């Protein structure tokens, strides 16, 4: 294990790793603003505003999350790392043309908040009006970010294989949660 490593999942051509703090390895990263912007890591320099990176080369891609989904996508022509929160999914980050260019065929959904810990207001229904990702229980609404992500992956990339972890950022003391920590 690397220093600060709190989660690891083996993938076909490497590992998906979550760190509790910035690791001492060379990374390509972006300044995230809950957008639908995806950049080519080879052409990007410095920290640019985006919520995803693609690479057609062997490089470490980094996304910072605190309940949102860190989403790894592998394609026939490259890989991508996305910060997929409700705003990014509502703004169709998974329909980004640059993302489509890698011809996605596999996705891994990393640690994120689970529905039982993601209560939302009734007004939230307007963001995903035709989705099964909003659950109602005892007159309360809960958003299942993972279900929404899976639905959109399947709608945008026919035949994509999807794996996910059940690790919840809210419930895990080793992972940062915006809703749990309020920061």
């Amino acid at each position: 294990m690397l220093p600060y490593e709190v989660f690891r999942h083996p993938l076909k051509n490497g590992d998906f790793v979550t760190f509790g703090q910035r690791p001492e390895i060379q990374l390509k990263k972006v300044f995230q603003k809950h957008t639908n912007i995806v950049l080519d890591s080879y052409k990007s320099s410095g920290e640019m505003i985006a919520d995803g990176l693609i690479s057609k080369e062997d490089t470490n891609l980094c996304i910072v999350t605190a309940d949102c989904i860190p989403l790894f996508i592998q394609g026939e022509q490259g890989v991508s790392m996305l910060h997929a929160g409700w705003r990014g999914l509502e703004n169709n980050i998974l329909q980004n043309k640059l993302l489509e260019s890698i011809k996605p065929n596999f996705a891994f959904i990393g640690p994120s908040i689970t529905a039982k810990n993601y209560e939302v207001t009734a007004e939230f229904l307007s963001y995903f009006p035709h989705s099964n990702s909003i659950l109602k229980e005892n007159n309360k609404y809960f958003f299942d970010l993972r279900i929404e992500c899976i639905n959109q992956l399947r709608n945008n990339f026919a035949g994509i294989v999807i794996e996910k972890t059940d690790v919840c950022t809210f419930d895990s003391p080793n992972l940062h949660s915006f809703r749990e920590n309020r920061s």
Side-chain angles (χ1 to χ4, degrees), residues 163-177:
E163 291 182 12
K164 66 180 179 65
T165 180
D166 292 327
V167 174
C168 177
T169 51
F170 188 93
D171 289 337
S172 176
N174 296 326
L175 295 168
H176 184 72
S177 168

Side-chain angles (χ1 to χ4, degrees), residues 43-162:
K43 296 177 183 174
S44 303
S45 60
E47 282 198 30
M48 301 176 74
I49 293 175
D51 281 271
L53 287 167
I54 68 157
S55 179
K56 297 183 180 184
E57 300 179 1
D58 189 18
T59 188
N60 295 315
L61 301 178
C62 176
I63 291 296
V64 177
T65 61
D67 286 333
C68 296
I69 291 174
L71 180 62
F72 170 78
I73 298 177
Q74 184 171 336
E76 295 172 18
Q77 297 183 1
V79 296
S80 177
M81 214 39 229
L82 300 176
H83 167 246
W86 78 264
R87 286 184 184 100
L89 292 173
E90 193 253 341
N91 287 320
N92 300 310
I93 192 167
L94 294 178
Q95 292 179 16
N96 185 287
K97 297 296 180 200
L98 197 55
L99 185 60
E100 290 176 13
S101 75
I102 66 169
K103 299 182 179 176
N105 55 22
F106 173 81
F108 178 73
I109 296 172
S112 62
I113 195 163
T114 53
K116 71 177 183 164
N117 295 312
Y118 202 166
E119 186 175 349
V120 295
T121 63
E123 291 78 23
F124 195 84
L125 293 164
S126 66
Y127 295 116
F128 303 96
H130 306 292
S131 177
N132 64 342
S133 61
I134 300 175
L135 315 168
K136 186 176 181 183
E137 186 177 307
N138 298 326
N139 292 321
K140 293 182 178 181
Y141 294 95
F142 299 88
F143 182 56
D144 195 321
L145 187 60
R146 294 173 187 176
I147 285 178
E148 185 60 37
C149 185
I150 289 167
N151 289 343
Q152 289 191 26
L153 282 165
R154 288 184 177 147
N155 286 338
N156 291 311
F157 310 111
I160 192 165
V161 174
I162 303 168

